[in-house]
Amino acid sequence: MDLPLRAAPPAATSLLDEPFVVLMPSRQTAPIVFASPHSGRDYPEVFLADSRLDPLTIRRSEDSFVEELFAAAPLAGCPLIHALFPRAWCDVNREPWELDPAMFDAPLPEFVNAASPRVGAGLGTIARVVATGEAIYRRKLSFAEAEGRIAACWRPYHTALAALIADTVRQFGCCLLVDCHSMPAQVPPLGRSRAAEVVLGDAHGTSCAALATRRVEEGLGRAGLIVRRNEPYAGGYVTRHYGRPREGVHALQIELARALYMDEARIERGPGFATLQRDLTRLIEDLARADWAALRP
């Protein structure tokens, strides 16, 4: 049985030492970078002390175990970066300053984006609620606390991710960034008997070449998975910020239905975990062997 969470030691409350892990292949052989920004579960003690939530509920925002599902990437010649800090502490799939003024004990600077739909939903860079809607904090935060998290987690993660993309473009002339996530159960669209098991987000064709989206879609389809595009997830900040096809950088978001591989209530790996991991390993290997010259500008 999985532990409810991993508490970071008190000295690591800012997570300065190791906010993320980059797993590099012995030699990068494909122009693909995999990223898992929301699977971190190292919870600072100060965060747990400030939270109103029990150890299980506070994990509701995690894309639990996603970095494990894509663990074959380095063996296939592709880097994999994944956050260790939890999304509820700092969300790197947001702009750096998407903050809810109601969470703070003083007015926020003018440069803060307080009007985004993510902030309105309570899921800004510093979240007000977990993904299931429960409020996180017992108290108001200071802006200095938000600055500290952004400096210790958001900026280092994006600096590392941008470097991986730039290095890949230098080596291969292009880069496909696959941003890996998980999603709760979906309701089948009107007229369909089954809900999507995977949603691919390419910002409605603007963040990624159709060739790349199609190859991923076909690979998942061969595994028997029901794949939809852009509904209800067309891609977050990472997809839209890094996806610049005209510059040879393509970004595609993958959302995997948690019911495929885990017990959502208990936050434990389920009986389907090994099967999905095997299917994704085959997908990664197929993508790594493909010719991506068409992605070059």
Side-chain angles (χ1 to χ4, degrees):
M1 180 181 296
D2 295 297
L3 295 174
L5 51 78
R6 294 200 301 259
T13 54
S14 65
L15 302 181
L16 286 167
D17 294 336
E18 195 178 19
F20 58 86
V21 171
V22 177
L23 300 173
M24 293 296 297
S26 56
R27 182 172 70 90
Q28 187 173 351
T29 56
I32 308 173
V33 173
F34 290 86
S36 178
H38 287 164
S39 56
R41 55 187 182 275
D42 288 352
Y43 284 78
E45 292 284 3
V46 67
F47 183 45
L48 299 177
D50 282 339
S51 175
R52 305 171 60 253
L53 304 178
D54 63 76
L56 194 61
T57 304
I58 204 171
R59 296 188 65 186
R60 298 299 185 202
S61 294
E62 284 180 26
D63 290 344
S64 301
F65 317 120
V66 164
E67 85 285 3
E68 298 177 24
L69 292 171
F70 288 88
L75 297 176
C78 308
L80 168 64
I81 179 172
H82 66 90
L84 297 179
F85 55 87
R87 175 189 185 186
W89 172 256
C90 181
D91 191 341
V92 293
N93 200 25
R94 298 288 183 264
E95 299 171 21
W97 303 108
E98 289 189 69
L99 302 176
D100 184 348
M103 293 176 59
F104 293 88
D105 60 9
L108 298 177
E110 291 185 2
F111 61 77
V112 165
N113 180 359
S116 81
R118 281 79 56 189
V119 169
L123 297 170
T125 316
I126 308 298
R128 174 172 49 81
V129 300
V130 290
T132 46
E134 295 89 347
I136 295 173
Y137 294 99
R138 302 176 186 274
R139 63 174 180 88
K140 301 280 189 179
L141 304 180
S142 69
F143 180 66
E145 289 176 283
E147 287 183 300
R149 297 186 200 183
I150 290 163
C153 299
W154 195 99
R155 293 197 184 283
Y157 181 89
H158 280 281
T159 296
L161 179 57
L164 288 171
I165 293 170
D167 288 345
T168 300
V169 171
R170 278 193 290 270
Q171 288 185 68
F172 301 95
C174 61
C175 177
L176 171 61
L177 169 62
V178 182
D179 203 43
C180 307
H181 299 260
S182 67
M183 63 183 182
Q186 302 296 301
V187 176
L190 189 64
R192 296 183 186 269
S193 60
R194 296 175 64 189
E197 295 172 317
V198 185
V199 175
L200 300 179
D202 60 5
H204 300 283
T206 64
S207 71
C208 184
L211 167 69
T213 304
R214 185 172 65 251
R215 280 181 178 170
V216 174
E217 185 175 46
E218 290 174 350
L220 293 165
R222 285 193 293 272
L225 296 167
I226 300 171
V227 185
R228 306 271 189 261
R229 293 193 192 185
N230 294 307
E231 294 295 337
Y233 306 108
Y237 172 81
V238 167
T239 306
R240 297 169 188 273
H241 177 73
Y242 291 102
R244 299 170 184 169
R246 291 184 181 179
E247 299 174 21
V249 180
H250 303 257
L252 180 67
Q253 179 175 285
I254 293 184
E255 296 273 0
L256 303 168
R258 293 174 189 147
L260 289 171
Y261 72 92
M262 66 176 283
D263 182 326
E264 292 187 69
R266 297 165 64 90
I267 311 187
E268 296 177 358
R269 297 168 194 80
F273 184 91
T275 299
L276 183 59
Q277 187 181 54
R278 180 201 65 206
D279 292 340
L280 291 172
T281 296
R282 289 175 180 166
L283 173 67
I284 291 165
E285 292 170 347
D286 288 346
L287 295 177
R289 286 191 295 262
D291 180 358
W292 295 103
L295 298 191
R296 297 171 189 155

